[in-house]
Amino acid sequence: MGKKTKVWNKVISMVVVLSFMTGMFGCSSKENEKCPYDEFIVVDVFDALANYQGIQSGWFAKIVKEKFNMELNIIAPNVAGGGATLFDARVAAGNMGDLIIFSAENGDLRDLVNAGLILDMSTMFANKGIMRYENAIRALNDSLDNTAVYAVPSEISASPATISSEALDLNYGSYLRWDIYAELGYPEIHTLEDLLPILKQMQEMQPYSDSGEPTYAFSFFRDWDANLMNAAKQPACFYGYDEYGFILLKADSFDYQSVIDEDSLYIRNLKLFFEANQMGLVDPDSGAQNYNTVFEKYEDGQILFCPWPWLGQAAYNTEEHTSQGKGFMIVPISDLQIYSYGCRPEGNTKTAIAIGSGAQDPERLADFIDWLYSPEGIILNSAQPTTDSSAGPEGLTWEMTENGPVLTEFGKDALISKKTVMMPEEYGGGTWFDGVSVLNYKAVVLMDPDENGYPYAYKLWDSVRSLQQNALFDDWSRFMDAQSSIEYLKKNDQIVISPGCNFSEPIETLEVTTVRSQCKSVIVDYSWRMVFAKDEAEFYSLLKEMQDTVISLGYEQVLEADIENAKAYHEARMASAEKYAVME
């Protein structure tokens, strides 16, 4: 997961340029009160989650500069291409970067430790605030060394493992252009396949985007393909399954499917998209574009369906659109059982943060990580143009009152109305969106309370929920009889929670890793070809070729390993559900 911000064109004001020039020679006199570091450094951040590559700019960059006298240079496999290949190449070269945001699973953390590529932060973290999360940190590191701290897990939560970690929207869902759906008379939808004729009618009603481009129901990108074609995996989550290697595993049981089986949800989804393409509903540019291109198409109203709230809604649901009743909302599909990630009291090991062994100033980077996990760091780093976001700088976008936190007028424009607002000069100028953190890293679950007892996710504040009333929401809420998608799904028993847990897979043998690499290349390649097959005969011919090819490569051996690991993972989920069922 999943899970994704747009590449914004960087608007850098003269104030930022001047502050950068000053930074080359150390903290400015104004900054000396806050910044204890004399020497300016550029920090290379290998970031497996980032959807932007290059220098962080704007208001978040200025805050980092003022506090730490450093600049973040993002190295993003999602943008540079290569994914796991780039990770392996940098491991082989002996240089992962100064800060490393990566998956601590599949033996990657152990590999980095054994190769001497990351530092033990235990001494650097002594007596720091980040150790409030010691239980989660120890759970990740103790299997390697019961005294060392090589990495810190993300998305740590103080909530039970059986509670959804999402706030108002789940990570997955059937989001479409509600305004066009409403024009059709809110037709009933029983299965995902029932969507196709409805989407075709929607396309016919809205054949062109806001800028005059042709509309499509679906638009894909290759950035996140790994073991599978990512786009074809997403709808499996609508039915309570998520990928685990080459299997789809149910959220709350040890029910699993091999992805290449003809009756698997993965193949069902490929067939769904094949049929959609036959109907002219799939963007023909899908194979040659990336996430950022797709985001821009959603902004333009070119795409009608989205499997995630944080893409379609973030891009299109501006104040201008929602006041006109236009935008993305979840649509009711009666047979859905949507996968929800439970809170992880021991953190999310799918993503962790560490310091590279070649870092110029490890102590400073340890201070930066500590800050990312502080209330201030969480609120600033997690302010994003998504549905799950914190509010940003206190005093600018929000303020604390006797009745709790409220958005300022600036905050309403930037976060609710999604207007292109300019930052004050003291925040570095440029636009609000241009300056948000591009790390795409969540230190904690944002539904958890801050030090004042209010959720980090500003959309959960009482003062903000009353601001979300608009023509779009009012029509959706009236029809769905709910105030949020999670409320609707809970009322209709359509959520399946995967208990959050900390689980590290055993290191694969070289043989399994080699076969997996070969098989996933075949699966991804054939999946794309199946979606764009000329007819049904070619679709099933390609499916047979894919199955035969991967089986000849040793797929069954990898599948067996995935099943064994999935069994252990499920047992860890159940143990976590029991251990963290009730928390003080």
Side-chain angles (χ1 to χ4, degrees):
M1 287 139 330
K3 210 172 157 143
K4 313 182 176 126
T5 52
K6 171 189 176 187
V7 170
W8 300 279
N9 293 324
K10 299 299 168 180
V11 182
I12 306 178
S13 70
M14 184 59 71
V15 174
V16 176
V17 175
L18 290 173
S19 67
F20 171 77
M21 293 173 64
T22 303
M24 294 297 290
F25 303 96
C27 302
S28 68
S29 57
K30 177 182 176 182
E31 292 165 350
N32 277 336
E33 299 175 7
K34 302 178 182 178
C35 178
Y37 309 102
D38 293 330
E39 182 183 1
F40 173 81
I41 62 174
V42 177
V43 177
D44 287 339
V45 184
F46 180 90
D47 191 341
L49 293 182
N51 293 304
Y52 167 80
Q53 180 154 283
I55 300 296
Q56 167 80 55
S57 65
W59 62 265
F60 186 75
K62 190 168 191 297
I63 290 172
V64 172
K65 168 65 175 55
E66 289 179 345
K67 288 185 170 293
F68 302 99
N69 198 19
M70 69 187 196
E71 187 174 65
L72 304 176
N73 176 41
I74 311 299
I75 301 165
N78 285 344
V79 179
T85 303
L86 182 59
F87 179 91
D88 294 339
R90 294 186 71 89
V91 169
N95 179 18
M96 286 301 300
D98 304 311
L99 272 177
I100 310 164
I101 295 174
F102 69 111
S103 170
E105 297 183 335
N106 300 318
D108 286 347
L109 173 58
R110 184 178 297 276
D111 288 347
L112 293 180
V113 171
N114 291 342
L117 295 179
I118 56 177
L119 296 177
D120 175 8
M121 300 178 284
S122 56
T123 302
M124 293 181 275
F125 280 166
N127 302 316
K128 290 191 184 297
I130 195 171
M131 294 312 292
R132 69 170 66 88
Y133 303 114
E134 184 172 6
N135 286 344
I137 294 171
R138 291 265 55 91
L140 175 60
N141 290 272
D142 278 358
S143 63
L144 300 172
D145 186 321
N146 60 11
T147 60
V149 175
Y150 292 108
V152 181
S154 63
E155 298 183 82
I156 302 171
S157 177
S159 300
T162 52
I163 298 296
S164 292
S165 61
E166 296 99 334
L168 296 175
D169 300 285
L170 298 183
N171 193 58
Y172 309 102
S174 50
Y175 291 82
L176 49 63
R177 279 287 299 278
W178 183 266
D179 50 308
I180 310 174
Y181 173 72
E183 283 189 58
L184 288 175
Y186 314 98
E188 288 188 5
I189 311 172
H190 300 291
T191 70
L192 203 57
E193 286 76 11
D194 291 344
L195 267 179
L196 295 187
I198 294 172
L199 287 166
K200 186 61 180 178
Q201 293 179 68
M202 291 172 62
Q203 183 189 46
E204 291 168 350
M205 292 181 67
Q206 187 83 33
Y208 298 105
S209 71
D210 297 346
S211 69
E213 294 295 324
T215 59
Y216 300 99
F218 307 105
S219 189
F220 309 135
F221 54 92
R222 294 180 179 269
D223 304 28
W224 301 343
D225 290 352
N227 288 306
L228 313 172
M229 178 184 177
N230 182 266
K233 188 279 295 190
Q234 300 305 319
C237 299
F238 297 173
Y239 291 95
Y241 290 80
D242 199 3
E243 67 177 303
Y244 195 94
F246 288 146
I247 67 174
L248 296 174
L249 181 65
K250 192 72 179 292
D252 59 351
S253 71
F254 187 52
D255 181 13
Y256 64 87
Q257 307 170 358
S258 167
V259 295
I260 68 169
D261 287 355
E262 191 164 334
D263 60 352
S264 73
L265 283 167
Y266 183 72
I267 302 303
R268 173 183 171 181
N269 296 337
L270 289 175
K271 185 68 184 306
L272 173 81
F273 292 140
F274 159 76
E275 292 174 351
N277 187 55
Q278 296 292 301
M279 299 168 66
L281 292 173
V282 177
D283 182 354
D285 295 332
S286 291
Q289 61 191 7
N290 60 22
Y291 174 87
N292 306 296
T293 305
V294 172
F295 191 103
E296 291 168 357
K297 289 183 175 182
Y298 275 104
E299 279 188 313
D300 186 40
Q302 195 175 349
I303 313 302
L304 306 176
F305 180 87
C306 190
W308 310 293
W310 39 262
L311 174 53
Q313 289 187 335
Y316 194 76
N317 288 20
T318 63
E319 181 182 43
E320 178 183 0
H321 289 148
T322 57
S323 65
Q324 298 169 4
K326 298 164 60 177
F328 284 87
M329 298 297 286
I330 196 168
V331 67
I333 300 179
S334 57
D335 75 336
L336 297 195
Q337 292 280 303
I338 302 179
Y339 194 109
S340 174
Y341 297 98
C343 291
R344 296 179 174 94
E346 295 181 354
N348 180 6
T349 58
K350 285 185 177 180
T351 310
I353 191 166
I355 298 175
S357 57
Q360 181 178 345
D361 191 341
E363 291 282 355
R364 191 183 320 192
L365 299 187
D367 288 345
F368 178 67
I369 294 173
D370 178 57
W371 177 74
L372 287 178
Y373 283 78
S374 72
E376 180 188 59
I378 293 165
I379 290 171
L380 294 173
N381 177 59
S382 299
Q384 297 289 324
T386 63
T387 56
D388 186 10
S389 171
S390 57
E394 183 177 7
L396 176 68
T397 52
W398 69 282
E399 58 191 11
M400 183 62 72
T401 72
E402 61 181 12
N403 295 318
V406 299
L407 295 179
T408 62
E409 291 304 313
F410 182 96
K412 292 175 186 176
D413 286 344
L415 298 168
I416 302 296
S417 304
K418 299 183 181 175
K419 295 179 180 177
T420 303
V421 293
M422 301 301 295
M423 295 294 289
E425 288 191 2
E426 60 265 34
Y427 288 91
T431 71
W432 162 262
F433 287 125
D434 287 340
V436 300
S437 170
V438 297
L439 293 175
N440 202 16
Y441 184 82
K442 288 182 184 176
V444 304
V445 169
L446 297 184
M447 65 170 285
D448 275 6
D450 63 16
E451 56 191 347
N452 295 310
Y454 297 98
Y456 285 108
Y458 74 87
K459 286 193 173 182
L460 293 178
W461 298 347
D462 290 341
S463 61
V464 172
R465 297 193 69 169
S466 63
L467 298 175
Q468 298 179 64
Q469 309 302 312
N470 52 58
L472 172 67
F473 179 83
D474 290 347
D475 185 68
W476 179 88
S477 179
R478 175 195 59 78
F479 184 81
M480 303 286 276
D481 189 27
Q483 294 297 308
S484 70
S485 63
I486 281 190
E487 180 184 332
Y488 171 82
L489 294 169
K490 282 182 178 178
K491 284 169 60 174
N492 290 275
D493 195 25
Q494 289 191 293
I495 299 177
V496 186
I497 297 175
S498 173
C501 72
N502 184 313
F503 175 73
S504 296
E505 294 177 351
I507 299 174
E508 288 185 346
T509 65
L510 179 59
E511 183 179 5
V512 168
T513 299
T514 301
V515 174
R516 183 186 301 280
S517 178
Q518 295 171 335
C519 289
K520 70 183 184 182
S521 295
V522 172
I523 292 172
V524 169
D525 176 55
Y526 272 84
S527 296
W528 279 91
R529 291 166 63 187
M530 288 163 67
V531 169
F532 291 96
K534 64 182 180 181
D535 54 33
E536 192 171 87
E538 184 180 36
F539 177 91
Y540 284 109
S541 174
L542 290 169
L543 172 58
K544 183 66 164 55
E545 286 181 31
M546 179 183 75
Q547 292 168 330
D548 291 345
T549 302
V550 296
I551 288 174
S552 70
L553 290 170
Y555 174 87
E556 297 290 347
Q557 177 186 4
V558 181
L559 180 66
E560 183 179 349
D562 285 343
I563 292 171
E564 286 302 310
N565 289 338
K567 183 178 180 181
Y569 169 55
H570 177 64
E571 290 172 351
R573 292 191 301 189
M574 295 301 100
S576 180
E578 181 177 356
K579 180 178 181 180
Y580 296 105
V582 178
M583 302 177 65
E584 298 297 331

